[in-house]
Amino acid sequence: MELVCPAGNLPSLKAAVENGANAVYMGFRDATNARHFPGLNFNESNTAKAIDLAHSRGVKVLLAVNTYPQPHNWGDWQTAVDRAAGMGFDALIAADLGVLDYAANRHPQLPLHLSVQGSATNYEALRFYHKNFGIRRAVLPRVLSLSQVRHVVENSPVEIEVFGFGSLCVMVEGRCLLSSFAAGQSPNTFGACSPAESVEWRETPSALETRLGGILIERYGKTDRAGYPTICKGRFEAGGHSYHAIEDPTSLNTLGVLPDLLKMGIAAIKIEGRQRSPAYVAEVARVWRQAIDAATRDPEHFSPKAEWNAALAKVSEGAQTTLGALHRPWQ
Amino acid sequence: MTDSLIRPRLSLGPVLYYWAEPDLRAFYEAVADSPVDIVYLGETVCSKRRSLNFEDWMELAAKLTEAGKEVVLSAMTLLEAESELLALRRICDNGRYWVEANDMGAVALLAGKTPFVAGPGVNTYNQHSLAVLARQGLKRWVLPVELSKQTLAAMQRERPTGVETEVFAYGRLPLAYSARCYTARHHNLPKDDCQLRCLDYPDGLLLKTQEGQPFLALNGIQTQSAQTYSLLPDLDEALELGVDILRISPQSHHTLAVIDAFHKGLDQPSTAKRQQEAILRFMPTGPCDGYWNNRPGIEQSV
């Protein structure tokens, strides 16, 4: 089982490589990838450095070109794919049918992974991408229960990668337009949920308000820990109650089911968080390296160590963790 | 309106909500006599909604066909369980009607076999994706709801021959899908024991911000806009862009009046804005058209 870690910049990539990642994933500095945030990602010169550094340690480098181009900006995605093919990436992670088609035809030697943004939640969909574009691996959206994941793996023509840890999209990735509804830009079109320029933090006498595109997402008391305003983690009112109508601020942590994931033949565990700090990457990579090694050595007697969960809790969003959809009652 | 512009047809999208069987049947009985040209039938949101089974839908399809409607069978958007794939296979192998795919799993089953429509659940964001789908047997595509008229114009210029363009023109916008059921969550129920609470919300459950602004509507595992998207005032633009079909998404009341307003608008595009004013009161929390104008979706142009 491969440990695939996020690299938002060179220091994070180093942290991942030094703490046991088998592969890192990254994006270029534009809307062609789903973590299009200011100050993040790689330009041409540090991309080459990143690939050299990782490869010198035997770590694979995957490039995410996993958002959806439109006719007016198609050229940017095509350029990203061409650059990826020429720079020695180990695989391209893509979602858009046109991008996958272009890459498969123009650069048949470049291995393709289906991004989580491709929204493939069943093996029939995976068969389509395999047959038409020759994808080698697919990343599953964080919406399936453990038994559903197992069923996909058993019937899938390609390797399966699942998310192990990090911020949790509760919506099917690639099928969430909440951000553009409020702010005009979505992960699909722009590579970012709640783009920074549409986010506001407003102090009032009694509270700190977070807004997206002017729309009130959350109101924090003076002592609350304020989070980044994503709509799905906001507090809204329905039927006279004000509550987290979609999801509580919480992170995904699947350490508890790691032996199950190993046993069903999951090829890779993905750690979310290209927008997080090098310290986060180092800590999460270190814990997950130990956990995967321990579970591989002795899956029958594996249980997550208290110190691992404590270390992960420290870097979790909202300081709570969940198994998410893998655990059926959560759904 | 010049002679060179084609007159778009009107379609009725699948019912996105959970309505009880008598309500569904009464609705489609009325639809049979309405001026819509195309009717999409089937459950696209949640497989636990079983007011009608496959045979019932097929029977309804036959009746509507007899009434002169073109029928398309719509398939689910989020396919997770094997039981859902089994249901999908029955729809794809129906042998008579086109199928609206809302997931690539459906496209996989339809490719090269059955003419299909790429529904709002398929991400067709550019001309290259459209070309891939056309090679598989695509007959019609629906513009993803977050895309603008500028993007539509560019895609229309490079549209493959034999492929029609449909636009979601009226209704609460489908914005997101999840593993989690928000209607059940609202009632503190787990999804597996949801007690079919969606039956209580025939137009979705309104979600407001903490300062009272209508924002979203919860429809089981689907999240919609609270506001009703309407391109009725923009009919002239849709006509100029060569849109073949305008889709009206059903709501529990006044859908026939909405169909009528669009029908009149198409007869006399100069009256479209007036028609919109006449149906404003049928929109639970007012209109929006931001996406069409390359703006945040919730906005309404003046």
Side-chain angles (χ1 to χ4, degrees):
Chain A
M1 184 185 267
E2 264 184 22
L3 177 60
V4 183
C5 292
N9 53 33
L10 214 44
S12 289
L13 182 132
K14 269 185 203 158
V17 167
E18 284 165 6
N19 286 280
N22 301 105
V24 292
Y25 64 103
M26 55 187 268
F28 290 142
R29 199 166 278 185
D30 56 28
T32 62
N33 75 93
R35 287 292 181 276
H36 178 206
F37 290 112
L40 216 60
N41 296 319
F42 290 78
N43 60 24
E44 199 131 358
S45 72
N46 59 18
T47 298
K49 247 187 242 169
I51 296 176
D52 282 349
L53 196 148
H55 282 175
S56 71
R57 304 282 293 264
V59 173
K60 289 185 201 162
V61 189
L62 317 176
L63 181 74
V65 180
N66 58 346
T67 45
Y68 290 85
Q70 294 171 58
H72 72 272
N73 57 18
W74 166 264
D76 296 346
W77 276 254
Q78 186 171 315
T79 304
V81 173
D82 291 339
R83 279 173 62 192
M87 294 192 82
F89 281 100
D90 296 280
L92 182 76
I93 310 169
D96 179 67
L97 292 171
V99 170
L100 286 161
D101 189 53
Y102 176 81
N105 286 306
R106 189 59 169 275
H107 306 291
Q109 78 293 348
L110 179 63
L112 295 176
H113 292 183
L114 180 67
S115 169
V116 70
Q117 298 299 127
S119 322
T121 54
N122 60 84
Y123 59 84
E124 295 290 4
L126 297 180
R127 286 177 185 168
F128 178 88
Y129 291 102
H130 180 243
K131 184 178 167 201
N132 288 281
F133 314 120
I135 62 160
R136 312 254 181 109
R137 181 185 290 181
V139 187
L140 294 185
R142 284 160 278 190
V143 296
L144 300 177
S145 69
L146 207 51
S147 67
Q148 288 169 341
V149 172
R150 185 181 301 116
H151 190 64
V152 171
V153 173
E154 284 166 1
N155 293 280
S156 168
V158 299
E159 292 179 353
I160 297 297
E161 176 172 317
V162 296
F163 276 88
F165 186 83
S167 285
L168 178 59
C169 276
V170 283
M171 302 301 188
V172 185
E173 296 89 336
R175 282 182 167 162
C176 180
L177 315 180
L178 294 181
S179 174
S180 68
F181 182 63
Q185 292 171 316
S186 73
N188 285 1
T189 57
F190 184 70
C193 175
S194 299
E197 64 265 32
S198 302
V199 166
E200 268 177 274
W201 306 77
R202 212 182 274 177
E203 288 272 8
T204 71
S206 59
L208 173 64
E209 295 178 349
T210 56
R211 288 173 185 268
L212 180 66
I215 293 164
L216 180 64
I217 304 299
E218 181 62 293
R219 212 173 243 162
Y220 296 97
K222 292 291 182 195
T223 54
D224 296 340
R225 181 174 149 180
Y228 194 78
T230 48
I231 292 170
C232 61
K233 314 274 166 63
R235 192 188 298 268
F236 303 104
E237 192 230 291
H241 301 285
S242 181
Y243 66 113
H244 290 114
I246 300 176
E247 170 61 327
D248 306 292
T250 176
S251 288
L252 178 75
N253 180 9
T254 67
L255 266 189
V257 294
L258 184 53
D260 301 281
L261 297 173
L262 261 175
K263 201 170 159 196
M264 69 174 78
I266 294 293
I269 292 279
K270 177 165 239 146
I271 306 298
E272 187 278 341
R274 283 193 282 140
Q275 74 285 9
R276 302 292 301 269
S277 67
Y280 164 92
V281 175
E283 193 65 358
V284 180
R286 184 184 64 78
V287 168
W288 273 85
R289 177 77 276 151
Q290 290 177 28
I292 291 175
D293 289 346
T296 308
R297 265 196 315 271
D298 188 1
E300 298 307 316
H301 298 100
F302 174 86
S303 71
K305 289 188 186 165
E307 62 187 75
W308 295 343
N309 280 328
L312 294 178
K314 266 190 212 152
V315 295
S316 296
E317 189 189 19
Q320 292 179 55
T321 63
T322 170
L323 281 168
L326 291 169
H327 181 53
R328 188 82 197 177
W330 177 90
Q331 298 191 20
Chain B
M1 180 176 173
T2 63
D3 292 341
S4 62
L5 298 177
I6 53 159
R7 180 190 164 111
R9 285 168 285 156
L10 285 180
S11 75
L12 186 69
V15 172
L16 300 179
Y17 309 102
Y18 192 11
W19 295 352
E21 182 185 350
D23 298 335
L24 267 181
R25 290 195 185 276
F27 177 73
Y28 283 114
E29 217 156 283
V31 165
D33 297 326
S34 78
V36 287
D37 304 287
I38 303 165
V39 181
Y40 290 85
L41 290 180
E43 178 55 49
T44 61
V45 175
C46 177
S47 53
K48 293 168 103 179
R49 299 173 177 181
R50 293 179 198 137
S51 292
L52 299 178
N53 63 27
F54 178 74
E55 285 75 21
D56 296 332
W57 285 117
M58 288 297 280
E59 208 175 287
L60 201 50
K63 274 190 199 159
L64 287 163
T65 305
E66 245 170 69
K69 310 300 179 199
E70 177 197 322
V71 170
V72 180
L73 302 184
S74 293
M76 289 271 293
T77 308
L78 174 55
L79 296 159
E80 299 171 303
E82 187 62 31
S83 55
E84 289 164 345
L85 291 178
L86 287 172
L88 174 69
R89 288 185 194 108
R90 288 191 79 185
I91 292 167
C92 294
D93 295 339
N94 81 82
R96 180 164 176 195
Y97 304 102
W98 287 10
V99 175
E100 178 186 62
N102 280 306
D103 178 88
M104 293 310 291
V107 175
L109 294 173
L110 295 161
K113 288 185 206 151
T114 305
F116 68 93
V117 179
V122 173
N123 283 346
T124 317
Y125 276 63
N126 55 69
Q127 68 275 31
H128 303 284
S129 297
L130 201 50
V132 169
L133 292 168
R135 291 203 297 273
Q136 311 290 331
L138 178 78
K139 294 295 176 197
R140 185 183 297 159
W141 71 293
V142 183
L143 179 75
V145 299
E146 72 167 338
L147 299 186
S148 66
K149 61 190 173 197
Q150 288 84 359
T151 292
L152 175 61
M155 291 185 65
Q156 289 293 71
R157 286 194 288 274
E158 301 194 50
R159 173 165 52 147
T161 346
V163 173
E164 295 175 324
T165 298
E166 179 166 345
V167 171
F168 187 104
Y170 182 91
R172 283 184 155 168
L173 294 162
L175 295 176
Y177 297 83
S178 174
R180 176 173 268 189
C181 176
Y182 303 117
T183 305
R185 178 175 171 86
H186 178 71
H187 290 280
N188 286 316
L189 295 167
K191 185 167 80 171
D192 285 344
D193 179 28
C194 70
Q195 300 173 17
L196 308 180
R197 285 303 176 97
C198 285
L199 280 168
D200 300 336
Y201 305 98
D203 292 297
L205 167 60
L206 178 65
L207 212 59
K208 293 192 262 186
T209 66
Q210 290 180 69
E211 52 194 3
Q213 179 185 11
F215 184 31
L216 301 168
L218 303 177
N219 175 34
I221 63 134
Q222 183 188 59
T223 305
Q224 304 182 328
S225 62
Q227 291 73 13
T228 304
Y229 190 66
S230 177
L231 294 185
L232 187 47
D234 308 296
L235 270 190
D236 49 344
E237 291 175 335
L239 288 167
E240 264 167 42
L241 290 173
V243 171
D244 297 288
I245 296 146
L246 297 167
R247 172 177 298 206
I248 294 166
S249 188
Q251 55 188 37
S252 66
H253 293 93
H254 311 296
T255 303
L256 274 292
V258 173
I259 293 171
D260 209 42
F262 271 80
H263 189 67
K264 285 183 184 149
L266 287 173
D267 281 344
Q268 286 186 292
S270 61
T271 70
K273 288 193 168 59
R274 208 172 345 129
Q275 300 298 340
Q276 166 86 348
E277 277 163 33
I279 60 167
L280 277 178
R281 64 202 166 97
F282 302 145
M283 305 180 188
T285 62
C288 66
D289 65 359
Y291 280 140
W292 182 249
N293 298 307
N294 204 22
R295 302 283 310 159
I298 194 171
E299 289 185 5
Q300 172 61 38
S301 59
V302 282

